[in-house]
Amino acid sequence: MTIDPGVPATPAGYVLAGKVSDFMPLTPSLSQAAGPPNDESHTNSESDLASTTACPVIGDCSVKGEEKDAHLIKVIEIPQPAGRYPPTKRVAVSFFHSKWYAFLNICPHQGSALSRGSMTDIEDMGIVWGAGVTCSLHGWTFDAISGQSDSTRFVVDTYDVKELDGFVYISEKPRNTHVAGPRRDFGGRELN
């Protein structure tokens, strides 16, 4: 295997997910964003952002939110130890409110891809205390750090993320193994 001299050594216990730029939405150039001179009717809609966003990472890629808060939820595959089935796990990665999050891409409810959902603020009485991912199928939300849900006892595995020298690395093992609750991964693949 050839090692790219531009890629730093992978930290022990982590896998390379890609360049930081692979996980950031590309915004239209200033000339596109401004629209025609004196044209106040032009806005950058979600479809405008989606059409200008590259998605080189495996699997789903979706842009959510307004341009100033736009974020991607992208899917990568991380290898499993020899003899495990499936041989890879699909992990969703997002950069939301200037923090990295990674979680198993399977909602334990009915196996939907969490990458099709959206990142949300977890708040109580107007105070934001964390970030979550909401499944697009039935609206279940899971804390992006602990993996716990607001509406079920099921837990989604979450992973540590490191950003080093312009590259993103995901831990090979879940960070929340200490969190009690049933986990369900539907054989390692999303059902829809």
Side-chain angles (χ1 to χ4, degrees):
M1 182 167 102
T2 307
I3 297 176
D4 185 348
V7 178
T10 301
Y14 285 78
V15 295
L16 176 64
K19 293 180 180 180
V20 169
S21 59
D22 292 344
F23 296 90
M24 302 295 174
L26 299 176
T27 55
S29 69
L30 291 176
S31 61
Q32 287 177 313
N38 299 324
D39 180 48
E40 295 180 6
S41 65
H42 181 78
T43 61
N44 292 324
S45 68
E46 190 169 315
S47 61
D48 290 339
L49 282 173
S51 67
T52 60
T53 303
C55 188
V57 178
I58 296 169
D60 298 328
C61 176
S62 54
V63 178
K64 308 289 183 194
E66 297 297 320
E67 182 179 347
K68 64 183 174 61
D69 294 325
H71 64 277
L72 295 176
I73 301 177
K74 292 182 145 185
V75 180
I76 65 161
E77 291 189 349
I78 59 173
Q80 294 291 82
R84 292 257 176 103
Y85 182 82
T88 60
K89 275 194 176 183
R90 294 171 58 83
V91 175
V93 181
S94 183
F95 188 71
F96 179 66
H97 291 322
S98 302
K99 292 183 183 176
W100 289 103
Y101 299 97
F103 40 86
L104 189 65
N105 192 39
I106 301 171
C107 179
H109 180 213
Q110 291 186 346
S112 183
L114 289 174
S115 60
R116 291 189 189 136
S118 60
M119 295 296 293
T120 59
D121 289 326
I122 296 177
E123 57 181 82
D124 185 18
M125 298 180 68
I127 299 171
V128 176
W129 60 269
V133 59
T134 301
C135 179
S136 64
L137 193 59
H138 293 110
W140 285 16
T141 299
F142 297 89
D143 184 298
I145 299 292
S146 73
Q148 294 174 307
S149 176
D150 64 346
S151 57
T152 181
R153 59 190 179 98
F154 283 105
V155 176
V156 171
D157 285 339
T158 60
Y159 296 82
D160 286 317
V161 183
K162 284 187 179 183
E163 181 184 329
L164 299 170
D165 299 325
F167 291 89
V168 178
Y169 300 89
I170 308 299
S171 62
E172 293 173 340
K173 296 180 181 177
R175 72 186 298 168
N176 64 336
T177 55
H178 66 284
V179 177
R183 289 160 165 80
R184 185 163 52 177
D185 72 359
F186 296 94
R189 292 290 177 222
E190 302 87 347
L191 298 181
N192 56 9

